[in-house]
Amino acid sequence: MIDRSSDGLGTQLRRLTELLDGELEALYRAEHPFYVPRFTPIMKALADGSPLSIKQIAERSSVSHSAASQTVARLKGYGLIETASDGDRRCRLVRLTDAGRDLLPWLRMKWRATTKAAHQLDAELRTPLSEVLAEAIARLEHRSFTDRIAACASKLEGETL
C-alpha cells in the first residue's frame, strides 16, 4: 500500500471520491448503464413522491441550486423525472415519472447496501469518516477555506522560501 499521507488535502479527497464514487458508479452501471452516483441525492429527495422545486431539491439533497438544476436536466433526459409549472406558474415542480418510480426498489436496495458498507468502513477507522467529514463541513461553513488560506498567506508574507 502506498503511503499517501504527504499528498495534499485536495489530492486525498479526489482519491477518496474515486475509490467511493468510482466503484459505486461501476456497480450502478453494470445494471443500469445510465445511472451515476450524482443522481442519488436528487432521486432520494423525490422518492417520497411529492413534487418539489429545484430550490427544495437542493435544500433536501445538500447540493447547490446549480448542481440540482443540472442533475434534474440529466435525469429528465433519461425519462426518470418530469417538470411542470406549479399552480401560479412561478416555479417549475419536479417529480418522478413512472420509469423513475419503477427504478426506486432497485435504488433503495443499492442505497441500503451502500449505507451498510459505509458503516463497515467507519467501524474500521480510528475516527469514523462520516464524523470527520461532517465536522470538516461544519467548520468550513463557519469559516471558509478561502478565508483560512488568506490568513495563512498574510502570515507567510515576508518569509523567505
Side-chain angles (χ1 to χ4, degrees), residues 66-131:
S66 176
S69 182
Q70 291 171 14
T71 304
V72 161
R74 289 187 60 194
L75 287 164
K76 189 174 181 181
Y78 288 115
L80 298 177
I81 61 163
E82 59 191 3
T83 57
S85 294
D86 67 353
D88 61 7
R89 295 184 160 190
R90 284 186 291 155
C91 72
R92 308 277 293 159
L93 294 177
V94 180
R95 67 174 175 237
L96 295 174
T97 62
D98 288 342
R101 284 187 294 280
D102 290 346
L103 193 60
L104 284 177
W106 176 79
L107 286 172
R108 286 184 172 120
M109 187 273 302
K110 293 296 184 193
W111 296 338
R112 282 193 310 272
T114 301
T115 298
K116 285 185 178 199
H119 289 314
Q120 287 176 353
L121 175 61
D122 273 351
E124 294 175 19
L125 302 173
R126 283 187 304 231
T127 304
L129 181 59
S130 58
E131 290 178 18

Side-chain angles (χ1 to χ4, degrees), residues 25-70:
E25 183 172 333
L27 289 171
Y28 284 151
R29 287 184 180 260
E31 293 181 57
H32 291 281
F34 61 89
Y35 198 85
V36 293
R38 176 183 176 169
F39 294 168
T40 294
I42 308 308
M43 293 296 288
K44 280 185 174 182
L46 295 169
D48 75 356
S50 302
L52 300 172
S53 68
I54 298 289
K55 180 181 179 186
Q56 291 170 315
I57 291 170
E59 289 169 353
R60 288 186 186 191
S61 59
S62 297
V63 300
S64 69
H65 188 279
S66 176
S69 182
Q70 291 171 14

